[in-house]
């Protein structure tokens, strides 16, 4: 998996990327492997960006 750049010039960690893809697979009701096999690198990057943005927004509300 390549590095995914987030807004602000930072990059998602490997842990964030894996967690984002696992959460998306669960949301779709498919396995992680099935999700990775059926999506392009660009789609996976977008899933990771959306997950990290949502995580950072919810972190600020505390």
């Amino acid at each position: 998996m390549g590095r995914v750049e987030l807004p602000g010039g930072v990059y998602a960690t490997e842990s964030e990327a894996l967690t984002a893809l696992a959460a998306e697979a669960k949301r779709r009701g498919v396995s992680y492997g099935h999700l990775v096999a059926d999506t392009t690198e660009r789609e996976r990057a977008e899933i990771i960006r959306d997950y990290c943005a949502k995580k950072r927004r919810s972190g600020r509300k505390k």
Side-chain angles (χ1 to χ4, degrees):
M1 185 177 343
R3 296 176 63 184
V4 177
E5 187 172 359
L6 304 173
V10 296
Y11 290 89
T13 65
E14 286 292 318
S15 178
E16 286 174 323
L18 292 172
T19 301
L21 294 174
E24 181 66 14
K26 184 175 182 179
R27 188 186 72 76
R28 293 184 185 191
V30 298
S31 70
Y32 170 84
H34 189 79
L35 176 76
V36 172
D38 287 348
T39 56
T40 64
E41 183 67 29
R42 187 177 203 170
E43 290 171 310
R44 290 190 298 274
E46 190 62 33
I47 291 167
I48 294 164
R49 279 189 205 97
D50 290 346
Y51 173 84
C52 290
K54 187 182 297 183
K55 183 176 133 186
R56 284 177 173 82
R57 277 194 306 270
S58 67
R60 289 186 202 146
K61 293 179 183 177
K62 291 182 181 178

